[in-house]
Amino acid sequence: MELLVSIAILVIMILGFSRVLSQSQRVTSTATAAMRSNASAAAIVDVIRNDIRMATQNGFLCIATKDLAGTPVPVLIVTKAGVSPSKTGSDVGTGSFVCLSLAANSATSTNDILWHPEWILASSGSAGDVWSGVDLATLQTYSLADIEHLVDDIVDEDQSVTLSVPASSLAELGNLWHVLTTDCSDLTIEWTDGDAPSGNLEWYHKDNVSGEPFENGTSGSTYRALWTKDDQTNWPKAIKINFEIDGLEYEVICPVGQ
């Protein structure tokens, strides 16, 4: 009887210890995942801030929508000025187009890729990230209609690119310069002109149907806010971007051109 009691007590202690160990492992795993997501988010915020800080009013800034597997998602396009070396070759441009949006990951059906391609502006070039035939000087001669067509081309560009993480071929590996991070969702992009009638900044990026801030999955497939060299006094003062990585939400607010 004493042996049975001892064994019972030992079993209870082992079960209790196992439960504590299991909970500790879950807490450690959760903390590790959060630290990894926070580190990724910090790097992403630095990239986004740099993009918007270098935005030039001699080009254009656009917030629009694109179709992602039947779902409208926001896309930000920024024209940057300055020496822009190619990521895939030896070409150097006088500026660049930078995009931020979501793209499908063909390797998994779960969360999307945070899509961040940058095409350098050069009159010619052979690298895969050269927007050949358009340099910054040429862009400044474009009419509003020309820029509208250019925006359409940029928004549609990712439809021909296969993004897969992890990559399963050399072609997919060569397209990873489009990828900022995986496991991203709920991207929202808004802008403000600096007005604060109620003491708080007014942020705009309204869906045409519901009147709510646009984010992926919101009803109403079209939205476009476009600022060009021809209306430099009306450019937004700041851009606000919200995104989610591994279930954690992040926000970055970036003054335009500062």
Side-chain angles (χ1 to χ4, degrees):
M1 182 62 68
E2 292 177 351
L3 181 60
L4 290 175
V5 171
S6 300
I7 292 174
I9 294 173
L10 181 61
V11 169
I12 293 172
M13 292 178 62
I14 291 174
L15 290 175
F17 178 77
S18 297
R19 180 173 297 180
V20 171
L21 181 61
S22 177
Q23 291 176 344
S24 299
Q25 289 176 334
R26 283 198 295 268
V27 170
T28 301
S29 297
T30 302
T32 301
M35 291 175 61
R36 184 168 57 248
S37 296
N38 289 339
S40 296
I44 291 169
V45 166
D46 285 342
V47 171
I48 293 173
R49 286 189 184 277
N50 183 65
D51 289 341
I52 298 178
R53 177 180 61 83
M54 296 182 65
T56 174
Q57 291 185 328
N58 290 323
F60 66 88
L61 173 67
C62 183
I63 302 172
T65 59
K66 71 174 185 179
D67 180 80
L68 180 62
T71 300
V73 298
V75 53
L76 172 68
I77 307 173
V78 178
T79 306
K80 290 168 53 176
V83 177
S84 302
S86 167
K87 295 181 177 67
T88 63
S90 58
D91 298 303
V92 178
T94 56
S96 63
F97 297 137
V98 181
C99 294
L100 185 72
S101 186
L102 295 179
N105 185 356
S106 62
T108 176
S109 59
T110 56
N111 288 345
D112 296 313
I113 287 169
L114 191 57
W115 184 65
H116 183 261
E118 180 172 4
W119 290 282
I120 68 172
L121 302 178
S123 56
S124 62
S126 58
D129 58 347
V130 173
W131 199 278
S132 185
V134 181
D135 57 16
L136 196 56
T138 302
L139 182 62
Q140 292 179 48
T141 67
Y142 274 26
S143 66
L144 179 60
D146 293 332
I147 294 176
E148 288 275 4
H149 289 305
L150 184 58
V151 168
D152 291 334
D153 291 339
I154 296 172
V155 170
D156 292 339
E157 181 67 22
D158 68 312
Q159 302 300 324
S160 61
V161 176
T162 300
L163 297 179
S164 181
V165 182
S168 59
S169 68
L170 289 177
E172 292 174 353
L173 187 65
N175 287 329
L176 292 185
W177 62 274
H178 291 257
V179 177
L180 196 56
T181 187
T182 58
D183 296 323
C184 184
S185 60
D186 296 329
L187 177 67
T188 303
I189 304 173
E190 299 174 271
W191 59 274
T192 182
D193 55 11
D195 288 340
S198 61
N200 296 313
L201 285 174
E202 292 282 352
W203 292 97
Y204 306 98
H205 191 168
K206 302 300 181 181
D207 169 47
N208 292 345
V209 176
S210 66
E212 297 299 322
F214 182 92
E215 59 184 60
N216 53 304
T218 305
S219 61
S221 59
T222 58
Y223 177 90
R224 176 167 294 180
L226 176 63
W227 298 269
T228 70
K229 63 184 188 307
D230 299 319
D231 59 353
Q232 295 187 6
T233 58
N234 294 322
W235 276 51
K237 298 298 188 294
I239 303 292
K240 180 168 68 174
I241 298 170
N242 292 81
F243 57 94
E244 185 176 308
I245 300 177
D246 292 332
L248 298 177
E249 297 181 0
Y250 300 94
E251 178 179 280
V252 54
I253 298 177
C254 309
V256 176
Q258 298 180 26

